Amino acid sequence: MQWGSVENFLNMGGYGFFVWGAYLVCAAVIVAEIVLVRGRRRRALAEARNFADRGVSKGV
């Protein structure tokens, strides 16, 4: 396809709202997943450290 202008490209033949909206939702979900995975990783590491500290202090 050839676009005559940037406005025509962004409009996507009348479907621009849906196309760019889908890209926006997809990007938001990817960012949210990255943030949530980092949080789960931090919690898992903290829990592992606490577990290891409790094991060492009990003489296990």
Side-chain angles (χ1 to χ4, degrees):
M1 293 181 127
Q2 291 185 359
W3 308 99
S5 67
V6 174
E7 183 181 352
N8 287 339
F9 172 74
L10 294 175
N11 190 28
M12 295 275 178
Y15 295 101
F17 176 77
F18 303 105
V19 172
W20 297 114
Y23 276 116
L24 180 64
V25 168
C26 185
V29 168
I30 290 171
V31 168
E33 182 65 20
I34 290 169
V35 169
L36 292 171
V37 165
R38 284 184 177 176
R40 287 192 300 261
R41 180 179 182 271
R42 285 189 191 119
R43 283 191 298 276
L45 289 174
E47 185 177 324
R49 282 189 205 105
N50 289 337
F51 180 76
D53 290 343
R54 280 186 278 137
V56 170
S57 65
K58 290 182 179 181
V60 174

